[in-house]
Every structure is written in C-alpha cells, then in structure tokens.
Amino acid sequence: MNDATEVLADQVRAAAEDRRALRIVGGDTKSWYGRAPVGKPLNVSRHTGIIDYDPSELVLTARAGTPVLEIEAALAENNQKLGFEPPIFGPASTVGGVIAAGLAGPSRPFAGAVRDHVLGARILNGRGQSLRFGGTVFKNVAGFDAFRLMCGAMGTLGVILDVSIRVMPRPEESISLVFNEDWQASQPRLTRLLGRPLPIDGAFHDGTRLHVRLSGPRAGVLTAAEELGGEHEDPTIWDQLRHMTLPNLRAPGLWRLSIPRTAKLGDIPGEQLIDWAGGQRWLSTTASPSQVTEIAAAVGGHASIFHRSDDDQDVFTRLPKTLFELHKRLKAVFDPAGILNPGRLYQGL
Amino acid sequence: MLDQFDSRIDPTFAPVDRQRLIARLQEALPERGLITKTEGMRVYETDGLAAYRGMPSVVALPETTAQVSAVLRICAEMSTPVVARGAGTGLSGGALPFPGCVLLSMTRFNRILAIDAQARMARVQPGVRNLAISEAVAQFGLFYAPDPSSQIACSIGGNVAENAGGVHCLKYGLTVHNIQRLELVTVDGEVLEIGGDALDTPGYDLLALITGSEGLLGVITEVTVRLLPNPVHTQVLLAAFPDVRQAGDAVARIIAAGIIPAGLEMMDRLAVNAAENHVHAGYPVDVAAILLCEIDGAAGDVEDGLSRVGAICLEAGASEVRQARDEAERRRFWAGRKGAFPAMGRMAPDYYCIDGTIPRRRLAEVLTEITRLSGVYGLPVANVFHAGDGNLHPLILYDAAASGEVENAEALGGAILELCVAMGGTITGEHGVGREKINQMCVQFSTAEIETFEALKASFDPAGLLNPGKAIPTLARCAEYGAMHVHNGQLPFADLERL
Ligand SMILES: Cc1cc2nc3c(=O)[nH]c(=O)nc-3n(C[C@H](O)[C@H](O)[C@H](O)COP(=O)(O)OP(=O)(O)OC[C@H]3O[C@@H](n4cnc5c(N)ncnc54)[C@H](O)[C@@H]3O)c2cc1C
C-alpha cells in the first residue's frame, strides 16, 4: 500500500513545464504493444494497493500500480473475478496498464469490453491535476464518461491513478467442449447457437477445431453441454488463450483483426486463430500491411499489428481525417503540452 | 426556478434575426418541417419534467441526415443554439428549450432500417421507440435489453443521449453496453461514424463518450443496437418486509451471494399502496417495503436461484415471500412497478422524481435519512427504485398550486442528491443532469473536472451551441451556488461519514 499521487503529480508538472515527454510505466510487460514508447519513464508501479473492496457491492477500487494478479487473488478469495478476462503478460503487470491497454479476453463478446467494467477513475492530466470521473456505482450518468475514454487510450490522455472496476461472481459451473471441424462448418454452427439463450461465454477456432465454453448456473450449463454434443476438454486451454500462451500468439509481427462476427473474411496467406466467435482474428502472415488492413476494412473491421516487430512501425489502422482531428483536440483537452505517452497510439497524438 | 436561464451564470448568445433564420431553415427542411407559430410549439415547451417550461424560437422537424446537417450548419453560421429532442420523456429537463433556440425534433426519424438476426443487430433511426425494437425483433426470438419504464414512449436516440437504464440493467447492462455504432452529426454539419459493426474501433472510445452526452456533442441520426436471445424461462419473486432496512439488507445479501437477478426492484409503503390502488397488482399492502426479484435462465437455475433468494429474504426478516403463480401474475407484479409513477399522480396533484445512485450497502441508512428530510421539508416522499443497482427514485409529492411548494420540492430534491454524493454515490443514475441537476454538478465535481467537461464539449462544439445551459454548469454558476450553499464554511450533512 502506497499513495504516490503527489510524487507523480510533481513529476508530471515538471515535465509539462519543460515540455518533456513522459513514458508512463506500470509493470513494463506490454512495451511491445502499440507504437514505440518514448520519453523519460514515469514509474506508476509504486502507487499501489486495493483501496476498497466490498464483495457485496461487486466493486473493487485499486491504485493503478497494484499488480493485477494481486487483484485477481483478492477476488478469487471471494469467488469473484474480472469479467473482461484481460490477458496478463507477466507477474509485474499492473491494473493501470491493463485498463490503459484496454485488451479484453475470450469473454469479450459475451461479457463486454474493459470500458464496460470500469465505473470510474482518478487520473492525472498532462498538467498534473488530479481529476476523478465516474465513481464506484454501476449506474452513474453525471458528466461525460471521461473514464471510459482512458480504456484503450494507451496512456495518451492521462496517468491513471486509481480505478473502480465492476467485478463479477465466478460462474457456478464451467465446461469446455471441442468440435473437430473447420471454420466453414463452425461459423454457421455458432450463428445458430448464438441466436439462442445458451450460457456460452467463449468460442474460438484454433485452425482445426472449434472450442466452446459454457459458464453459468449449473443446471443451464449441464443441459446445454448435453445438447451441444462435442467432446469435453480440459478448460485450462481458455487460460492459455486468454494470456496468449498458445503457439504463435506471442510472436512478433502477429496481427489482430477485429471484424464483424458473421463476416466472411477474404483469403489471406498464413495462419489464423479465430476468437470472439469470429470477431477477433489472430493472424500470422507474410502478406503486406496494406493487404491485411484492406482485407479487414473490406468487411467493416480493422487490423493492428499486435506485437510490434520494429520501432518505427505504425501499428493501428489510420483514422479518417476528421476523426483524427477530433482525436487531436481530445488529446489537447487532457494533455495540452502533449507530454503523456506521445505517439504511443498514433504519430502526432 | 431553474427553467429560467440566467445570463449572468448561464451561456448567452446574441439575438438572431428570426425572419432570416426562418427563411433559411425553410429552404433546408421539407414541407411542414418547420413550426413557427406559438400554438404549434406549445407541445415542445416542456419534457417529462413538466415543472420546467420554455419556448423555442422555432421547431425544426427534419426527416433525413442531410437535413439535420443543413439545419446545424445554418445554426452554426447564425450562432443560434440548438436543442435536440426525442420523445420528450426525459425527467431532467434535457429537452427544455433554451430561449431563442431551434428545437430539433427527431420524431420523424422513426424507421427501423435493418435487422440482422444472425449478427444480432438492428440498425434504427433515433426516433424509433425503445419498445418498438423489441417488438420488431421478437419474431427472431431476440430482444433489446435496456428497458426504461418509459419504453413505450421514449426514443432510442433519447436513450443513447441519456445512457438510459431499466429494470433489467443489473444483468444486461445500460444503453452504453448494448449499442454498437452511431451516426452523429456535429454542429458544423459533418457526419461522423462512431463505433462500427466490429466489437471495437481504432482510436479513442468515442462511442462511450457520446453515450450519455445529453445532446451536447452532436445530434444522433442513426443507432445500431445489439440484440439478445429471449431467455427460456423467467420467474419473479415478491418479498414483503415490515421494515425498509431489512429490505435494504436483503438486497446486499442477494448480490453478495453471487446471484445476478435479471431485475431487483424495491418499493416502499407509500409506493406499494399507490401502485396497488392503481394497478391491482396483488401486492400485500400492510408492509413497509416489497422487493421484486426476477431471475431468468434455464428452468432448474431459475428455481434454484429463487429459492435461495427467498431464503435470504426470510433470513433478513421478510414477513412473506411468494412467487408469481403464472405468467399473468408475473406481468401484474411488473405492471405495478412500471405503473408506480403514474399511480403517484393519484396520490398528489404533482410529483417530482429524483434519481440518485448510492452504494448498495448504504441503502438502509439513506432511506432513513430521506424519511427525516421528508419531515424537515414537510413533503411526503415515496420510494420506487432499482435496488439491485442502488439507483434510488424518491418521488416527492407536492402541489404546484400551493404557494412555495414547487421551490420546496426542488430544494428537497437537491438535498437528497447531495446526500447521495456524501454517501459515495452520484446525483444521477439514469435520468441525466439536464437542467435540473446543473447545480448539483458543482457539488459532485471539482473546478478542474468541470473545466475538463467544458473543454471536451468545446472539442466538438467550440461555440457551445448544442443544448446550452444543460449537463455542464458554468464555473460562474458553481461559484454562485457554492457561495449560497455552504453556510459558515460547512458542507451539508457534515455529520455523515464521507467516502
Ligand atoms: C414514467 C417515466 C419513467 C421513466 N423511467 C425511466 C427508466 O426506468 N430509466 C431511464 O433511464 N429513464 C427513465 N425515464 C426517463 C426518460 O424516459 C429517458 O431519459 C429517455 O431516455 C428519454 O428519451 P426521449 O426520447 O424521451 O428523450 P428526450 O426527453 O426527448 O431527450 C432527452 C435528452 O436527449 C437529447 N436527445 C434526444 N434525442 C437526441 C438525438 N437524436 N441526438 C442527440 N441528443 C438527443 C435531448 O437533447 C435531451 O437532452 C422515465 C421517464 C418517465 C416519464
């Protein structure tokens, strides 16, 4: 437990004065994600501790430097969990980094994105002012949801100080089923299944087999498992998927495509792991960046280089000009001097 | 009263040549797309917060996105404020006309454009009624989850603008969790696509920022909503309590047990009696509070869940626990809850609905304090609310015709909202800040936070033309409200523990 707000605020104020870039660092487990970090490190990992956790409120508030594993352990003791199943790339990984990266795991299409589980946050803006947006309650529409903007902003809009997260009870039962079939067969199967009220909270295709996870109250899960057929498998495969320890998922150059679940993605060389029931594709390919970007855009989606392989790379799909101009104005609202993680999301932001 | 805008502490705009405005708007709008006569504009004078009234300069009724763009471009050029309006059911005065504004009514955007049952999405125009979506997709076994009690009337555009919630939000989320893509027209007439058909988009999460922005950032001209399959089985349990504190306690225990009800609602004695007289829902009447707990899912799980909820309620002190005997009774139980507001209309000439949220564990404490405040101000308060979310709806009963009662009701409402903030909660759970809670924003947020909100607005709308005087107070207003409000340097509820 340590509150480093003042120390961090002083550092931000000093950097703002000299217009020096700061590179916000939590556990430093995702420096390969996004565009290359620049600037002097601002170390948030000494701003730690769970500030408030009352299981009956389903809310946990923690300082940004708290290891996310510590949070998961506290939740597990009360039979609760983080509903968005963030990938964790090392024991040092902090909750602030998890929120800033905005990455959600296999449950994303069923339980929601990171921003759907965040209720509020306190941040330092680029002037070193401490601001609190949102709160600790689920229903709250006072003021713009500036805290949700922090999710996935890669630290470009503020240094997250504390965050309040809506947590979920662990499911009473969870079963993993596997089907030996190609994606051509799996896609219509999933469309059929997802049109019905089944307790599905994960569906991925590894290239040769479809894996479906059922979670929830026991009776519903058991009935559904019986009806769906397939073979039972060891559910720990979902942890490997979540933390991306399955083969190839941690390789530099890996692409992430986010596309409509029911879309038919055009042909592209290489290997794909299809998660989110079709909505998220992990792609290792020899195709050129423009080919990959185009094939995703053709079906209404977008592509990003998940694991940067060189430091001059642009990684996220470019925004249309009006939207990018709006992004720059939003950045200036929070960080007028442009010192917080500059360029981590886009060049010039 | 707050329906009066104050040029010292609210935004102001130079007067506009009305004839020229009318002439230009007429060119941009279809026939019968512009109302300029006072009589025709009467219905737009007020929204669901009927105590607040104002007159627009004109009412525009566009039918296409291009017309919305054109109207906004004209207003931007002529520096004329614009207030968007959906169905006008908002309870915070969000659609209250600003003096001299163009009121932009979205009611003609009333078409469902596409239903993709396989992708579980529907693309609709913003004037479509909330319930109409669920009705249109029922043939595919799907529904749109957020269900405000006003769902037969309110528009999906208004829902997005307010981030509306409903009885089933505890399990299925608010509007922000159930939409996918928006078409937004900015004040300079530019059409933006926000969000998309995939689960995320590159860059900042603008979809989340726009949701709940109360018409301050742009005009929503299209919404893509996500749909869910109808649950197989749904059952509701009613528990009656001799003491509201026991009911509050039961709520916390149900959630702590890991049960996620589809709905968990509470009504106190006054509300129960009013609803029972009005709807004949079959509620027990001689009780301090009732809880309605709905669980959906597989039959076995519903049964199991409700028997656990029943046991928890009895343990907490419930005098009676019973399940709806059949679907007809289940519907009656909910009809009583959804009809509780109108039922209040029979108890008093006027009622005023408050909308704060508190941490669940403080329910009992807050209800006790509200009872005390009700005594202090001399106005009865009934409580009907989304207990599972800690979202309170105290209904203040008053008589607008009696001298001073309107102001008194307003003051009691303000006191209840500040109590919610002191308890670690918020001044609005789902109805929005609008005009009504503009002063309480100064209590919940610091100067630097309000400056950030202002700057966020300016990044979309630099001249501040969209819904001025709503949702975000000026710092001048906060300074004045603060000076008036903090007596002898003391905060309200100084004796209560703060979070
Ligand atoms: C009896 C009753 C019960 C209610 N129960 C609930 C409830 O359970 N949960 C809940 O959340 N609310 C509830 N409400 C409040 C209200 O119905 C909601 O806030 C609803 O979302 C408002 O929708 P509307 O179409 O009527 O919007 P309006 O009242 O017309 O407008 C509301 C706000 O949205 C803006 N707006 C409207 N359309 C657009 C658009 N296309 N683009 C940009 N801005 C726009 C307006 O400027 C205004 O600020 C209730 C109201 C009543 C009268």
Side-chain angles (χ1 to χ4, degrees), chain A residues 187 258-264 278-279 281 296 299-301, chain B residues 119 121 197-199:
Chain A
Q187 196 171 26
S258 177
I259 62 171
R261 161 172 66 83
T262 49
K264 294 257 178 286
R281 313 284 177 105
V299 292
Chain B
M121 291 197 277
D197 288 341
L199 284 176

Side-chain angles (χ1 to χ4, degrees), chain A residues 57 132 194 220 256 329, chain B residues 120 200 301 360-361 449:
Chain A
E57 292 291 335
R132 184 172 186 258
L194 294 178
R256 171 180 179 269
R329 293 196 298 275
Chain B
R120 292 191 346 211
D200 46 52
D301 295 325
R360 267 182 298 266
R361 63 183 163 209
E449 287 153 2

Side-chain angles (χ1 to χ4, degrees), chain A:
Chain A
M1 282 286 249
N2 179 43
D3 188 333
T5 303
E6 282 317 312
V7 181
L8 293 167
D10 283 344
Q11 284 174 272
V12 172
R13 277 191 290 261
E17 215 155 281
D18 310 346
R19 305 212 151 224
R20 257 190 300 108
L22 288 175
R23 162 193 178 184
I24 307 166
V25 184
D28 209 14
T29 59
K30 289 189 276 285
S31 54
W32 44 264
Y33 180 60
R35 295 180 80 251
V38 292
K40 188 176 164 210
L42 179 78
N43 189 347
V44 186
S45 70
R46 281 193 289 273
H47 181 63
T48 55
I50 295 173
I51 299 170
D52 190 27
Y53 171 41
D54 178 346
S56 84
E57 292 291 335
L58 299 180
V59 177
L60 180 144
T61 303
R63 295 196 182 90
T66 313
V68 67
L69 289 178
E70 182 184 324
I71 289 175
E72 293 215 308
L75 293 174
E77 265 177 45
N78 290 282
N79 214 19
Q80 295 183 340
K81 63 169 202 164
L82 295 174
F84 52 96
E85 299 188 326
I88 300 174
F89 296 99
S93 178
T94 64
V95 67
V98 161
I99 303 299
L103 299 170
S107 65
R108 165 65 185 95
F110 314 95
V114 177
R115 58 96 143 153
D116 294 329
H117 295 258
V118 174
L119 302 176
R122 200 161 63 88
I123 64 156
L124 285 175
N125 66 11
R127 294 191 178 97
Q129 291 173 306
S130 155
L131 308 172
R132 184 172 186 258
F133 299 111
T136 60
V137 290
F138 181 52
K139 284 174 89 173
N140 180 3
V141 294
F144 298 130
D145 281 359
F147 60 97
R148 292 194 214 271
L149 272 183
M150 301 298 147
C151 306
M154 298 293 286
T156 57
L157 296 178
V159 182
I160 299 170
L161 288 175
D162 330 321
V163 56
S164 295
I165 300 172
R166 187 186 197 218
V167 301
M168 306 299 286
R170 280 185 180 230
E172 191 179 31
E173 184 69 78
S174 194
I175 288 176
S176 184
L177 300 173
V178 59
F179 302 83
N180 262 308
E181 63 187 21
D182 61 13
W183 176 244
Q184 272 58 42
S186 291
Q187 196 171 26
R189 179 197 290 275
L190 284 173
T191 300
R192 251 186 346 265
L193 294 179
L194 294 178
R196 298 176 41 210
L198 294 165
I200 295 174
D201 78 334
F204 82 97
H205 196 276
D206 63 16
T208 52
R209 291 170 312 161
L210 173 71
H211 306 255
V212 176
R213 185 175 64 179
L214 300 163
S215 306
R218 187 158 291 124
V221 169
L222 295 179
T223 322
E226 198 161 306
E227 191 205 311
L228 257 59
E231 282 165 48
H232 286 243
E233 70 174 336
D234 181 354
T236 53
I237 189 160
W238 293 93
D239 294 324
Q240 293 169 275
L241 175 67
R242 171 183 164 189
H243 299 300
M244 307 190 67
T245 52
L246 289 174
N248 298 334
L249 291 189
R250 288 196 175 188
L254 180 74
W255 283 89
R256 171 180 179 269
L257 277 61
S258 177
I259 62 171
R261 161 172 66 83
T262 49
K264 294 257 178 286
L265 190 70
D267 282 333
I268 187 125
E271 296 199 0
Q272 273 183 56
L273 185 145
I274 302 176
D275 194 8
W276 294 4
Q280 175 170 261
R281 313 284 177 105
W282 298 111
L283 172 70
S284 318
T285 184
T286 52
S288 71
S290 61
Q291 270 179 300
V292 181
T293 315
E294 273 159 34
I295 200 171
V299 292
H302 64 99
S304 49
I305 297 171
F306 187 69
H307 204 308
R308 200 176 59 241
S309 52
D310 85 68
D311 277 357
D312 303 319
Q313 249 170 351
D314 267 334
V315 298
F316 298 108
T317 293
R318 290 251 168 99
L319 299 170
K321 188 163 181 296
T322 35
L323 270 187
F324 190 63
E325 292 302 317
L326 179 59
H327 274 64
K328 288 207 280 199
R329 293 196 298 275
L330 290 171
K331 164 87 172 165
V333 166
F334 292 95
D335 179 20
I339 57 165
L340 301 177
N341 277 2
R344 195 76 202 269
L345 205 50
Y346 290 102
Q347 187 169 17
L349 200 68

